[in-house]
Amino acid sequence: MENQYFTSDELNVKNRAFLWGDSVKVSFFVKNGGLIMDEECYFFLMASMRKMRMNIPLTYTLEFFQSLFQKDIIEGKGIQNGIINFQVFRNNDELTLAKSSVSYFYEVVEMDDVLAIHQRSLELDLIKEINVNNNLLSNIRVHCPENIYGGIYAQENDLDDVILLNPNKRIARTTSGNLLFLEGDVIKVPKQTEGAYISPLMENFVTFLHKNNLADIQEHEIIAFESQKAEEILMISDEKGIFSVGKIRNKTFESSRFIELVERWKASFNQ
């Protein structure tokens, strides 16, 4: 099925998302005909817009988005499971950018289960000729040419994605999501100060594991070599879903324990 697209207004090529990449993107999740984690995703959207100094409309309440997605997607298109990639962009209608109005565009990627690990594991590699910053705006989903370059590099080298490093040569994230490294009973995740994305999907997962004593969650500064020491690696992308990592260079990884942990997390949404 093709992705479904929706906009608040008729799109104009003079919008600042097209001209300058002046936009932010946040994902919402539909499972079994209802929104899940909608409050966390909503607050992340508001925080992202504030960081980009966007003029947040008074109508942008949690109830507004719940009603919008229920009407357009769940009821209107009959989509029961999928990821809503919601993008807000600044219009060019005021003398100052901070006072300009905003419009939105979003697409829906339909899938069988947004919380299931994709069947095909990923092959990754490190990319060293570019890096990503680790400042205030590095944690939100904004225009990032490094992601585009990394995506093309992956395609040209028959990879699924690449691992991006920060200026200190430590692991930040991939082009599309965050990495979790399992060693024993410890799950290491790169700190947000290292350039990792803020991810409501990942935060919900690791919070579940922590509350149920299923793993010791540790935020770390992770050097590139440590990717080879992990027993299992998981990639969580708010935009694309959840993937196990099967190979990085000549090292292959198992996935059984992460599969078990994700299944237990997924079952908690049915309780």
Side-chain angles (χ1 to χ4, degrees):
M1 176 182 174
E2 291 187 3
N3 296 351
Q4 302 290 320
Y5 298 90
F6 305 84
T7 62
S8 54
D9 305 293
E10 184 176 344
L11 287 179
N12 188 319
V13 293
K14 291 186 178 181
N15 75 70
R16 291 183 56 83
F18 174 75
L19 294 172
W20 304 103
D22 187 1
S23 66
V24 298
K25 187 186 291 184
V26 171
S27 296
F28 290 82
F29 307 97
V30 180
K31 180 175 172 62
N32 297 331
L35 291 170
I36 59 171
M37 294 177 268
D38 47 344
E39 191 168 314
E40 298 102 302
C41 299
Y42 167 73
F43 285 123
F44 180 40
L45 174 61
M46 295 298 102
S48 298
M49 292 179 70
R50 282 194 293 271
K51 286 180 179 180
M52 283 296 289
R53 300 294 191 266
M54 287 184 168
N55 182 12
I56 301 176
L58 294 177
T59 56
Y60 274 26
T61 63
L62 175 59
E63 293 73 22
F64 168 79
F65 290 103
Q66 290 171 331
S67 175
L68 177 70
F69 299 144
Q70 182 71 32
K71 178 183 176 182
D72 287 352
I73 297 173
I74 299 171
E75 295 176 1
K77 296 295 182 180
I79 293 177
Q80 296 295 297
N81 295 278
I83 297 177
I84 304 166
N85 289 312
F86 188 90
Q87 185 171 356
V88 182
F89 58 90
R90 201 185 324 254
N91 296 313
N92 223 346
D93 56 6
E94 292 288 345
L95 292 176
T96 61
L97 292 177
K99 293 183 178 180
S100 292
S101 65
V102 297
S103 298
Y104 63 76
F105 166 92
Y106 65 96
E107 65 173 340
V108 185
V109 182
E110 191 171 15
M111 55 183 60
D112 293 333
D113 189 340
V114 297
L115 301 184
I117 297 179
H118 286 250
Q119 290 186 340
R120 190 176 66 85
S121 60
L122 303 181
E123 181 175 353
L124 310 181
D125 200 354
L126 297 158
I127 185 170
K128 295 184 177 180
E129 54 260 48
I130 59 170
N131 55 49
V132 292
N133 290 321
N134 50 357
N135 58 39
L136 177 71
L137 301 181
S138 303
N139 308 130
I140 62 176
R141 286 162 61 194
V142 293
H143 173 63
C144 180
E146 292 84 359
N147 284 348
I148 299 170
Y149 184 98
I152 295 171
Y153 178 94
Q155 291 176 349
E156 291 178 343
N157 290 275
D158 296 322
L159 301 167
D160 296 297
D161 205 341
V162 292
I163 300 174
L164 296 166
L165 307 178
N166 63 28
N168 299 313
K169 306 302 180 184
R170 294 192 293 261
I171 291 175
R173 54 176 176 79
T174 72
T175 67
S176 54
N178 291 331
L179 294 168
L180 298 85
F181 302 89
L182 177 64
E183 298 178 33
D185 293 323
V186 175
I187 294 177
K188 296 181 180 180
V189 295
K191 295 180 178 179
Q192 290 179 3
T193 52
E194 293 291 281
Y197 279 139
I198 296 172
S199 165
L201 190 63
M202 187 188 78
E203 288 180 6
N204 192 288
F205 175 58
V206 298
T207 298
F208 170 81
L209 298 182
H210 174 71
K211 284 184 176 180
N212 291 277
N213 297 314
L214 296 174
D216 179 12
I217 309 298
Q218 298 181 6
E219 290 189 323
H220 276 268
E221 297 172 349
I222 302 175
I223 61 173
F225 173 74
E226 287 192 58
S227 66
Q228 300 288 294
K229 294 168 55 180
E231 298 164 20
E232 297 186 13
I233 301 176
L234 196 69
M235 196 271 280
I236 296 183
S237 168
D238 285 31
E239 187 175 1
K240 296 182 179 180
I242 305 170
F243 301 82
S244 60
V245 175
K247 186 177 181 182
I248 299 177
R249 297 188 174 175
N250 294 322
K251 174 72 181 291
T252 58
F253 302 91
E254 299 294 326
S255 59
S256 58
R257 293 173 65 195
F258 264 133
I259 289 174
E260 180 185 349
L261 293 173
V262 170
E263 284 297 318
R264 294 183 67 169
W265 173 53
K266 188 171 67 170
S268 70
F269 286 85
N270 300 324
Q271 296 173 358

